[in-house]
Amino acid sequence: TNPRGATPIAAPTHLVHVHSMWHILLPVLAYAPRVAPQQPSSHHGRRQFLLSAGAGVASLLQRPAWASSVGGGNAGDKLLNLPADRLVDIVRADLVERQFLATADFTRAVYDEGALFTDEIDTYTLPKFIKGTSALFVKDKSEVRLVGEVKADDREVVFYFDEDLCFNIPLQPVVTVTGRCVLSRDPSSGLIVKYREYWDKSPTEVLKTAFNRPRKA
C-alpha cells in the first residue's frame, strides 16, 4: 500500500528485504528530530520531509547490492554432514569476524540453496537475504556481538546476539536488536535449511531504540 497516493515503484525482487524494513522504519523518519534549520513544523513540512526521504529510498531500491563477495563461496560447493564442533567454528567466525547478521557475508557452503531466512519482519530466500541485507545496512556503522557461545548438534545451531544496525536510508538511524538465532539442519545432508531470528523486543520496541541513543565519547 502507498498511503500518499504516489505511483508505486517496482523494486527488484532481490531487495524485498529492503521494502519490508522501509515500511517498519517510516515512523523513525517521520518523527526523528529535524536537522535542517528553520524547518516548518506544519504537517506540510513533515510531508515534504517524508517525500524527500522516500525519494532517497527509491534510489536505494533500484540499486543492485554492491558487495559481490557476500554469501562467500560457490553455490555448488557444499560441506556436507559436518560434525557439530566444525559447524560451530564456522558459524562463530561468520558472526564475530564477518558480522554476517549485518553484512550477509557468511559461509554459503554450509547452507542449502533452498534455505529460508526468517526474522520478526518477514521470510526471505537465500539469494534475497544476501542481496537485501548487504544493501540495507551500513557495514562500517553496524556492529554484531555474540552473547555466550555458539552451540550445535546434529539438528540445529543456536546462538544469542546483541547488534547495533545502521540502516542505509536517510538519517541513517541505528537500532539495537537482541535475541537468539536458530539454524535448523537437514537430517540427511547436515546443511542449514532454516534460519530463524527470535527478537527479545517487538519491532515497535526495537524502533524506539533509535531515539536518545547515548553519545559516544
Side-chain angles (χ1 to χ4, degrees):
T1 55
N2 189 333
R4 303 190 180 277
T7 302
I9 298 174
T13 55
H14 62 271
L15 291 182
V16 171
H17 189 37
V18 184
H19 263 309
S20 300
M21 292 307 298
W22 165 235
H23 290 304
I24 293 297
L25 283 163
L26 265 176
V28 172
L29 293 177
Y31 296 104
R34 298 179 176 84
V35 295
Q38 298 179 342
Q39 181 79 351
S41 58
S42 66
H43 291 291
H44 176 72
R46 177 172 293 170
R47 182 177 184 278
Q48 290 302 112
F49 173 72
L50 281 173
L51 287 175
S52 62
V57 174
S59 176
L60 170 64
L61 292 174
Q62 294 175 325
R63 188 183 311 160
W66 42 81
S68 60
S69 63
V70 295
N74 205 314
D77 298 332
K78 298 300 179 183
L79 299 175
L80 303 176
N81 296 309
L82 289 178
D85 58 347
R86 175 79 187 284
L87 190 55
V88 163
D89 291 340
I90 291 173
V91 172
R92 182 191 299 114
D94 285 347
L95 185 70
V96 176
E97 299 172 18
R98 287 179 280 280
Q99 301 277 290
F100 89 96
L101 295 188
T103 64
D105 185 1
F106 57 85
T107 306
R108 190 165 177 166
V110 301
Y111 289 79
D112 188 278
E113 288 302 298
L116 295 178
F117 292 71
T118 302
D119 58 20
E120 300 292 357
I121 308 301
D122 208 343
T123 297
Y124 321 96
T125 62
L126 186 150
K128 288 179 181 177
F129 178 83
I130 291 173
K131 294 182 179 180
T133 299
S134 63
L136 183 60
F137 302 119
V138 180
K139 178 180 178 180
D140 295 338
K141 295 184 179 181
S142 299
E143 182 180 2
V144 180
R145 297 169 290 274
L146 173 64
V147 178
E149 295 296 326
V150 178
K151 299 180 180 181
D153 56 27
D154 292 340
R155 298 182 300 107
E156 63 186 20
V157 182
V158 180
F159 61 84
Y160 289 79
F161 60 89
D162 177 357
E163 58 187 358
D164 295 323
L165 300 175
C166 178
F167 288 91
N168 190 17
I169 62 174
L171 300 184
Q172 293 191 336
V174 178
V175 299
T176 296
V177 184
T178 61
R180 67 185 172 98
C181 189
V182 179
L183 311 177
S184 301
R185 305 180 68 182
D186 179 78
S188 59
S189 69
L191 296 175
I192 296 168
V193 293
K194 185 187 300 183
Y195 166 109
R196 179 66 166 95
E197 286 184 19
Y198 298 92
W199 295 359
D200 293 333
K201 297 180 178 180
S202 69
T204 300
E205 291 172 322
V206 167
L207 279 179
K208 294 178 181 178
T209 67
F211 301 99
N212 301 319
R213 299 185 66 83
R215 293 180 179 273
K216 294 185 179 181

